[in-house]
Amino acid sequence: MKKKFRILIQLLILSLCLFSCTEKFDSQKWKQKGVDWQMSELRENMIDDLISSNILKGKDSIQVLKLLGEPEQTKGNLNYYLIREKYSINIDPEYISYLVIEFDKNKKVKKYYQERTK
């Protein structure tokens, strides 16, 4: 019985590793243009690595621009990069998620986080 349970656990772990939807952050892939749903799905798969790796920590606005490209929106000292617009059956999105980067007065990254609407 213990052997079957151990095998089952190993299979579960293996399947989680194989079917995980995370991807290492890649600046070129992040900036690539294409069909919106393809671009945003790719970004959604990279966002966890981008945030957890602290790649943006200490960068100035020019370095961020080189790394991520132009933001979709800018409001004061905040830059918004579209991660994903997720649609289902109707025309309204289920959710929209952004990478929000806040800059300090010296135009250095103060903080960054993922924001999800709806």
Side-chain angles (χ1 to χ4, degrees):
M1 186 67 167
K2 285 184 179 181
K3 188 174 183 176
K4 287 182 182 180
F5 184 73
R6 191 178 306 149
I7 291 171
L8 179 62
I9 295 295
Q10 289 173 343
L11 287 173
L12 283 171
I13 291 171
L14 179 62
S15 60
L16 281 173
C17 291
L18 290 175
F19 297 109
S20 174
C21 291
T22 61
E23 188 172 326
K24 288 272 189 203
F25 174 74
D26 181 318
S27 177
Q28 295 303 320
K29 288 181 181 179
W30 179 276
K31 292 187 291 187
Q32 76 185 26
K33 299 295 181 194
V35 181
D36 286 345
W37 66 267
Q38 289 173 328
M39 178 185 71
S40 61
E41 185 174 284
L42 183 64
R43 287 182 175 186
E44 189 172 56
N45 292 340
M46 287 191 281
I47 192 64
D48 288 336
D49 183 59
L50 175 65
I51 291 173
S52 67
S53 66
N54 290 319
I55 292 171
L56 300 175
K57 190 173 184 175
K59 300 261 191 279
D60 62 33
S61 59
I62 294 171
Q63 291 170 315
V64 170
L65 190 63
K66 286 180 183 177
L67 193 64
L68 302 176
E70 291 287 335
E72 276 71 28
Q73 294 179 25
T74 302
K75 294 180 185 175
N77 65 336
L78 300 175
N79 283 0
Y80 292 81
Y81 289 88
L82 178 66
I83 297 171
R84 178 87 190 249
E85 280 187 67
K86 176 72 171 156
Y87 288 90
S88 61
I89 298 171
N90 77 35
I91 61 171
D92 295 325
E94 283 180 33
Y95 67 86
I96 302 172
S97 61
Y98 291 95
L99 168 63
V100 182
I101 303 173
E102 182 178 345
F103 293 95
D104 65 18
K105 63 182 178 182
N106 298 319
K107 296 191 178 191
K108 294 244 183 209
V109 173
K110 182 177 180 179
K111 64 180 178 178
Y112 50 97
Y113 52 92
Q114 183 177 0
E115 182 176 278
R116 189 169 168 169
T117 63
K118 289 195 179 192

